[in-house]
């Protein structure tokens, strides 16, 4: 996000696994690059410092940063900061551009629009007007980002909102405490209810902002090409940095009293009678009021009913994943996965494993991971052997590893390994090959609970309902005809993350008037098969809310990448951009992934130069 560090690029390098069916379609086979949509794609960088400029108090204390030029005063806005930064990116040049219009992403940190007034908090109209004047005084098109997520915005009102537990997400153990991720503060704001004080404050800020923007002339409003809603929006788990994976001690949100009541109502809508629910669950609940959300692990805790069980696999699938690397290999690698000697899937080696790269820097790339999610619900109870083979060439396979897992029934049974088919013939590993089958752990027991998929579906609905609330508010304003987008992360891109903990899959496709908007990090930025997938999920119109390749690209590769997304339906593409050196606060730390000629990290300087060449000369005014 423009206002803070991103939540996950340090973990990534590669492809995506959004949900089982989608992943199968994308991972299963190579995808052709037949274009299906056309249209101008707005290049809309997020200029660092804009949010600080907008939210600057009128009288900053000595401990705070000095005001940026142009931000303060009766006509203060971020327009000068935006324009000086973009002019540097698109200077006069003899080279022809590719036709991508250059605009910007205007980030508005909603909670930073408030100031204290006595015992209350009010929207600071001067800060709102800085947003309005930025739109008015910048001739360029823009994407309006209404920013509010679990990342702290350094807004004083946040400390007051934290004192009200109605605002906070809950696990089965109670309210989550504030957390950190890569040095950034996280606040566990709840989405289980929409009648919370923090929701009311977000609505108050958006309505004040929209009312002020709607006073602009139509020619200024026409500059707003899209609106992204809220930011990364999903359920939480304790210890976000280490707790969103498949490790034991399974805790997720939301288990608040209102959420539990709503879950029972959700079940009533799915099942006409309690008898129908009992038949589906294999249970004997007296009534819907007796159903408890699954919250315990049968391996270590006492269960009154089997349907109380939950872990990372209880919904009925288990990830099979690892990493592979061959020195000097220029060809894309693929892994075949077998169960009891029968092939069950084939996946590319292209997911991000920064942990592997950190342990083995000689690999030179984080894109060494692979993953296949296996549905075990229909498998017979007993032991099963999982094997992974790396393809060197057609018919030439190298054995990576094998693991035994145990599919469990509700009753105790003697576990036996079924007859095994013989694996295909393999060859010795070539010199320089390194590979591992990491998941599942050897001997992993798998217990399917049919109530868990319903619980996760309900949690996904909570996220979607919260997003729809804010979409409806914008839809009632003068900006109702402006395209509105999500601003979501892709948890499945990280092989070690459990996407069910995030519960955001429902927001990863265009629904009604809410278009798909996603953060792209690593090799998903330039993978042509993934561009096609985004076009289908977004119904041929999507937004790229963060574009972070994490490596250098030359001009031709970056140009091809931009054109591919434009042809697949991307309407805008946002990346982070540092302001000129002379306009940066002295103590400001440049973001590691900002495109900037002075940033040596992650190919950022090369990406900046390539983008400069692609944009070419500024169009004549």
């Amino acid at each position: 996000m423009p206002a803070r560090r991103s939540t996950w690029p340090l973990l990534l390098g590669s492809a995506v696994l959004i949900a089982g069916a989608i992943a199968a379609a994308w991972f299963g086979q190579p995808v052709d690059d037949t274009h299906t949509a056309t249209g101008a794609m707005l290049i809309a960088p997020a200029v660092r410092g804009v949010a600080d400029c907008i939210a600057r108090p009128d009288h900053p204390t000595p401990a705070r940063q000095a005001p940026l030029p142009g931000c303060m005063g009766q006509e203060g806005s971020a327009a000068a900061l935006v324009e000086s930064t973009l002019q540097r990116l698109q200077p006069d040049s003899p080279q022809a551009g590719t036709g991508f219009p250059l605009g910007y992403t205007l980030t508005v940190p909603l909670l930073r629009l408030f100031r204290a007034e006595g015992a209350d908090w009010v929207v600071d109209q001067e800060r709102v007007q800085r947003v309005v004047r930025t739109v008015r005084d910048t001739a360029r098109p823009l994407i309006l980002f209404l920013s509010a997520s679990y990342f702290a915005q350094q807004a004083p009102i946040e400390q007051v909102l934290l004192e009200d537990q109605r605002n906070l997400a809950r696990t089965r153990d109670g309210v989550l405490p504030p957390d950190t991720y890569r040095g950034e503060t996280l606040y566990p704001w709840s989405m289980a209810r929409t009648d919370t004080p923090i929701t009311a404050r977000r609505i108050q800020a958006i309505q004040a902002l929209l009312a002020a923007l709607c006073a602009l002339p139509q020619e200024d409003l026409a500059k707003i090409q899209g609106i992204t809603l809220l930011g990364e929006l999903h359920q939480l788990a304790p210890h976000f940095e280490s707790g969103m994976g498949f490790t034991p001690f399974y805790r997720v949100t939301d288990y608040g009293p209102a959420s539990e009541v709503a879950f029972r109502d959700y079940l009533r809508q799915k099942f006409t009678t309690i008898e129908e629910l009992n038949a589906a669950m294999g249970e004997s609940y007296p009534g819907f009021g007796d159903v408890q959300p699954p919250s315990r692990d049968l391996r270590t805790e006492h269960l009154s009913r089997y349907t109380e069980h939950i872990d990372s696999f209880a919904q009925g699938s288990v990830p099979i994943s690892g990493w592979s690397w061959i020195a000097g290999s220029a060809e894309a690698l693929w892994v075949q996965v077998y169960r009891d000697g029968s092939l069950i899937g084939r996946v590319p080696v292209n997911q991000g494993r920064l942990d592997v790269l950190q342990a083995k820097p000689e690999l030179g790339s984080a894109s060494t991971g692979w993953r296949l999610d296996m549905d075990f619900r229909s498998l017979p109870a007993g032991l099963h052997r999982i094997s992974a083979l790396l393809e060197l060439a057609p018919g030439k396979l190298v054995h990576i590893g094998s693991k035994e897992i145990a599919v469990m029934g509700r009753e105790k049974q003697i576990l036996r390994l079924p007859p095994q088919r013989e694996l295909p013939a393999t060859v010795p590993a070539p010199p320089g090959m390194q590979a591992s089958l990491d998941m599942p752990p050897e001997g992993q027991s798998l217990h399917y609970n049919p109530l868990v998929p319903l619980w996760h579906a309900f949690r996904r609905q909570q996220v979607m309902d919260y997003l729809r609330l804010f979409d409806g508010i914008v839809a009632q304003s003068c900006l109702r005809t402006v395209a509105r987008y999500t601003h979501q992360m892709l948890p499945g891109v990280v092989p070690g993350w459990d996407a069910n903990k995030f519960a955001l899959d429902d927001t990863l496709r265009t629904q009604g008037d809410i278009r798909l908007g996603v953060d792209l990090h690593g090799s998903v930025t330039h993978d042509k098969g993934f561009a096609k997938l985004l076009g289908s999920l977004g119904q041929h119109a999507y937004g790229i809310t963060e574009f972070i390749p994490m490596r250098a690209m030359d001009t031709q590769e970056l140009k091809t990448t931009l054109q591919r997304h434009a042809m697949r339906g991307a309407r805008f593409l946002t990346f982070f951009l540092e302001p000129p050196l002379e306009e940066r606060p002295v103590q400001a730390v440049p973001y590691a992934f900002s495109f900037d000629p002075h940033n040596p990290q992650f190919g950022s300087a090369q990406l900046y130069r390539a983008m400069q060449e692609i944009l070419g000369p500024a169009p004549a005014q």
Side-chain angles (χ1 to χ4, degrees):
M1 309 293 173
R4 50 86 180 160
R5 290 190 178 96
S6 177
T7 60
W8 48 288
L10 293 177
L11 295 176
L12 306 187
S14 128
V16 69
L17 184 66
I18 294 178
I22 296 171
W26 187 57
F27 281 150
Q29 297 295 335
V31 182
D32 72 83
D33 195 32
T34 304
H35 295 144
T36 57
T38 60
M41 180 177 72
L42 178 67
I43 304 298
V47 178
R48 295 253 297 164
V50 165
D52 288 335
C53 179
I54 290 169
R56 212 46 88 145
D58 292 331
H59 303 286
T61 64
R64 296 177 66 90
Q65 299 173 1
L68 291 167
C71 295
M72 308 305 293
Q74 291 185 350
E75 291 298 307
S77 77
L81 178 64
V82 169
E83 191 57 36
S84 63
T85 305
L86 298 185
Q87 283 181 356
R88 188 183 60 143
L89 181 64
Q90 191 181 45
D92 291 337
S93 167
Q95 300 185 41
T98 58
F100 294 116
L102 177 61
Y104 65 104
T105 292
L106 178 55
T107 301
V108 183
L110 296 177
L111 293 183
R112 291 181 71 181
L113 296 181
F114 287 93
R115 61 176 172 81
E117 188 174 274
D120 197 7
W121 293 84
V122 297
V123 174
D124 189 327
Q125 290 299 326
E126 175 55 31
R127 300 180 195 185
V128 170
Q129 287 303 316
R130 288 181 199 145
V131 178
V132 174
R133 290 191 290 266
T134 301
V135 175
R136 182 196 69 187
D137 297 342
T138 307
R140 301 177 186 270
L142 69 127
I143 300 299
L144 179 64
F145 175 20
L146 304 176
S147 175
S149 71
Y150 47 84
F151 271 84
Q153 294 190 336
Q154 289 76 50
I157 195 175
E158 289 173 317
Q159 301 309 310
V160 177
L161 294 170
L162 283 169
E163 296 175 2
D164 192 329
Q165 292 197 353
R166 291 175 296 173
N167 295 324
L168 305 179
R170 294 171 181 261
T171 70
R172 66 164 226 192
D173 301 322
V175 170
L176 277 173
D179 202 353
T180 60
Y181 182 78
R182 302 288 181 180
E184 299 289 331
T185 300
L186 307 181
Y187 292 139
W189 306 125
S190 174
M191 294 170 297
R193 299 166 55 183
T194 57
D195 60 346
T196 56
I198 188 171
T199 305
R201 291 300 188 182
R202 288 169 171 169
I203 292 172
Q204 183 183 357
I206 288 178
Q207 289 177 333
L209 178 62
L210 292 173
L213 286 170
C214 288
L216 284 169
Q218 184 56 42
E219 57 265 29
D220 288 324
L221 290 175
K223 300 171 187 174
I224 303 174
Q225 301 293 298
I227 300 171
T228 62
L229 300 170
L230 299 183
E232 293 162 354
L233 192 67
H234 58 74
Q235 301 281 6
L236 290 168
H239 312 296
F240 185 87
E241 194 160 343
S242 61
M244 301 303 282
F246 294 92
T247 54
F249 184 69
Y250 195 86
R251 299 291 186 272
V252 294
T253 55
D254 190 283
Y255 285 85
S259 186
E260 293 188 1
V261 170
F263 178 56
R264 297 183 188 106
D265 291 339
Y266 175 84
L267 294 177
R268 288 187 180 95
Q269 296 172 7
K270 296 291 181 180
F271 299 93
T272 306
T273 65
I274 191 63
E275 289 76 19
E276 185 180 342
L277 172 67
N278 283 330
M281 299 296 109
E283 278 293 350
S284 56
Y285 292 108
F288 285 100
D290 299 289
V291 180
Q292 296 294 324
S295 64
R296 297 178 177 276
D297 191 327
L298 58 75
R299 301 175 187 85
T300 58
E301 299 176 287
H302 173 73
L303 273 60
S304 298
R305 296 178 181 273
Y306 181 83
T307 46
E308 293 176 355
H309 170 68
I310 192 170
D311 61 18
S312 283
F313 319 114
Q315 80 286 347
S317 67
V318 59
I320 300 168
S321 69
W323 60 275
S324 304
W325 180 81
I326 298 178
S329 175
E331 299 296 324
L333 299 176
W334 288 74
V335 169
Q336 296 180 9
V337 179
Y338 292 78
R339 182 182 62 238
D340 300 327
S342 296
L343 179 67
I344 60 171
R346 178 176 178 266
V347 291
V349 179
N350 62 1
Q351 287 196 298
R353 288 293 300 267
L354 190 65
D355 58 330
V356 175
L357 179 61
Q358 290 173 333
K360 297 176 176 290
E362 68 274 12
L363 303 187
S365 172
S367 298
T368 58
W370 52 268
R371 171 172 157 177
L372 180 147
D373 282 8
M374 183 186 76
D375 189 327
F376 65 84
R377 290 174 297 175
S378 61
L379 293 180
L383 299 176
H384 297 273
R385 180 172 294 147
I386 303 298
S387 301
L389 280 65
L390 179 67
E391 296 181 5
L392 299 181
K396 191 176 181 181
L397 305 172
V398 175
H399 187 261
I400 297 175
S402 295
K403 300 281 184 72
E404 286 189 5
I405 58 174
V407 176
M408 311 297 291
R410 293 199 182 191
E411 306 298 330
K412 291 183 178 180
Q413 66 265 336
I414 299 175
L415 300 179
R416 294 186 173 89
L417 191 68
Q420 303 289 296
R421 298 184 64 176
E422 187 174 348
L423 289 171
T426 58
V427 299
M433 173 179 162
Q434 299 186 56
S436 174
L437 170 60
D438 297 338
M439 290 189 66
E442 178 69 28
Q444 176 68 56
S445 61
L446 304 174
H447 306 260
Y448 171 58
N449 174 6
L451 189 60
V452 170
L454 292 166
W455 174 237
H456 288 324
F458 167 73
R459 295 170 58 245
R460 292 194 300 270
Q461 180 175 292
Q462 288 182 324
V463 177
M464 193 68 217
D465 287 348
Y466 200 81
L467 183 66
R468 284 197 180 103
L469 170 67
F470 289 88
D471 177 69
I473 293 169
V474 179
Q476 296 171 13
S477 75
C478 69
L479 297 178
R480 66 180 65 87
T481 60
V482 177
R484 301 183 294 278
Y485 297 84
T486 61
H487 196 299
Q488 283 291 35
M489 64 193 304
L490 298 171
V493 175
V494 185
W497 272 3
D498 179 356
N500 285 307
K501 287 186 174 179
F502 296 84
L504 54 75
D505 282 3
D506 289 357
T507 66
L508 293 181
R509 61 181 183 274
T510 291
Q511 294 201 33
D513 293 329
I514 308 176
R515 293 183 177 182
L516 173 69
V518 291
D519 301 346
L520 301 185
H521 300 177
S523 65
V524 293
T525 58
H526 56 273
D527 187 284
K528 64 182 181 181
F530 185 68
K532 181 179 182 180
L533 175 62
L534 286 178
S536 64
L537 294 175
Q539 297 175 11
H540 311 308
Y542 62 93
I544 301 174
T545 48
E546 286 185 13
F547 179 80
I548 300 179
M550 293 185 66
R551 67 168 178 82
M553 290 185 181
D554 62 27
T555 302
Q556 185 56 51
E557 183 182 11
L558 181 57
K559 177 180 176 182
T560 300
T561 296
L562 299 182
Q563 290 175 329
R564 178 177 293 127
H565 280 295
M567 295 298 290
R568 285 299 181 191
R571 294 296 182 258
F572 68 91
L573 180 145
T574 296
F575 55 90
F576 296 104
L577 193 61
E578 295 291 329
L581 287 173
E582 63 272 16
E583 297 186 24
R584 302 179 194 176
V586 175
Q587 62 269 52
V589 178
Y591 182 38
F593 296 96
S594 288
F595 288 21
D596 187 80
H598 305 287
N599 182 7
Q601 303 179 77
F602 301 100
S604 298
Q606 297 95 317
L607 288 165
Y608 183 91
R609 288 192 292 271
M611 187 66 76
Q612 255 188 338
E613 294 181 8
I614 290 169
L615 291 173
Q621 298 294 321

